[in-house]
Every structure is written in structure tokens, then in C-alpha cells.
Amino acid sequence: MPRLAPIDFENLTPEQTTVADAIRNGPRGGLRGPFEAWLRSPGFADPAQRVGAYCRYGSSIPSDLNEMAILMTGKYWKAQFEFWAHARLALQAGLDPAIVEAVRTGAEPPFKREMERVVFDFVSEYLATHRVSDTNYRRAVETFGENGVVDIIGVVGYYGLVSMTLNVFEVELPPGETNPLE
């Protein structure tokens, strides 16, 4: 049961309306996931959703690898809605279904491209130790450049925020969907 009642979109404050319209009229096209919770604090919601739009749609990291980093973050936080939503998006972006399943179950992914391994190793190490070794840092910079490393960190950080929001407010999956994470 979600902790927040559905927001009354007919009675939003002017600030809430501005943010809700920016989200609905942006690349997302709707208010799903953390956005109803965030609308309770429009001053927070607006910059957060703009960072998220960059992380999801403007990142210099290829979209399939960006989605893998998002899945890894959702798995780390055990965010059911996050993993459910982005598993579909990862597949649409071309991520191998076997990699999605391996991330979901904690198995070793069957990588076919070195850049997949670079993102996986970088994000895995960071989530496990809250640091990145010189080796994984250098590999990431050589593969994606400094801009790409910043984008990877941004994606992991932003989707950590999203995952925490979804978990704290107990945002449920749509009816009929099954939690993907054990």
C-alpha cells in the first residue's frame, strides 16, 4: 500500500502545476515513479526532474549501458518499481535480455562488448565499496572520457535518489505486475 494518497491534480498549487506541466510536456510524457511524491515539494521536484531528464535522455553514455547502470542501482536499493520500469526500457534500448536477468538475479552477466564490462565493473565497485579503484577509473575514462565518467556517476546518484523515493513512499507496480526483485 503506498504511503501517499494519489495527488489531486485538479487542486495543485501554481508551483506544483508548473513542475507537473514541465514533466508531462517533457520527454517522459507523464508523471510516474517518484514524481507524485516529489510534487509535494515543488522546489525540490523541479531541479530533480531536470537532472533526471539529462541522466535519462542526455547522457553521453549509450542508452543500453545507461539503462544497465540504472538497473544496477535499482537492484542495489531493492527498488521494485525502478527495476521493473527500467528492465523494459533496457530491453527497448537493446541491452541483452541475459544481462538484464543477470543483474536481476546477481549472476555474472554474459558480456559481448568490453564497454558493457567497463560500466558493470565501475558501477559494481562503486556500489559495493563507495569508491572506484584506479584501474576501473582509468578503464572508464579511456572508454567514455571524463564527461562519460561524470555521466555514469550522475546516473547512479540520480537513480539512487529515485530508488530511495520509491522505497520510502512504497510506490507500487501497476496492477497485475510482479515484483522483479527477491
Side-chain angles (χ1 to χ4, degrees), residues 63-83:
S63 60
D64 62 328
L65 303 181
N66 210 46
E67 290 294 336
M68 183 176 70
I70 295 167
L71 290 177
M72 294 173 71
T73 305
K75 168 75 175 182
Y76 174 82
W77 288 103
K78 298 177 182 84
Q80 300 290 349
F81 187 97
E82 187 63 25
F83 197 94

Side-chain angles (χ1 to χ4, degrees), residues 3 15 17 44 70 82 88 96 109 123 125 162:
R3 289 184 166 166
E15 294 85 7
T17 299
F44 173 83
I70 295 167
E82 187 63 25
R88 296 175 306 127
D96 184 332
V123 173
E125 183 178 31
V162 169

Side-chain angles (χ1 to χ4, degrees), residues 79-145:
Q80 300 290 349
F81 187 97
E82 187 63 25
F83 197 94
W84 170 82
H86 282 274
R88 296 175 306 127
L89 296 170
L91 296 172
Q92 289 172 5
L95 190 64
D96 184 332
I99 294 174
V100 173
E101 182 62 9
V103 171
R104 186 186 76 77
T105 63
E108 179 67 23
F111 297 119
K112 295 180 181 134
R113 300 176 296 160
E114 180 59 19
M115 67 173 56
E116 294 167 339
R117 165 74 59 200
V118 169
V119 171
F120 184 83
D121 289 350
F122 186 94
V123 173
S124 293
E125 183 178 31
Y126 182 74
L127 292 174
T129 69
H130 306 134
R131 300 285 186 274
V132 175
S133 66
D134 289 342
T135 299
N136 280 331
Y137 177 80
R138 269 193 304 279
R139 287 173 60 219
V141 169
E142 288 169 3
T143 304
F144 300 108

Side-chain angles (χ1 to χ4, degrees), residues 14-90:
E15 294 85 7
Q16 288 173 315
T17 299
T18 299
V19 176
D21 288 348
I23 296 167
R24 282 191 287 245
N25 296 325
R28 295 177 190 95
L31 291 156
R32 292 172 295 283
F35 300 114
E36 280 198 43
W38 289 355
L39 278 176
R40 270 97 172 153
S41 178
F44 173 83
D46 187 46
Q49 72 87 15
R50 285 187 278 127
V51 168
Y54 176 80
C55 288
R56 173 104 186 276
Y57 302 102
S59 173
S60 65
I61 303 303
S63 60
D64 62 328
L65 303 181
N66 210 46
E67 290 294 336
M68 183 176 70
I70 295 167
L71 290 177
M72 294 173 71
T73 305
K75 168 75 175 182
Y76 174 82
W77 288 103
K78 298 177 182 84
Q80 300 290 349
F81 187 97
E82 187 63 25
F83 197 94
W84 170 82
H86 282 274
R88 296 175 306 127
L89 296 170

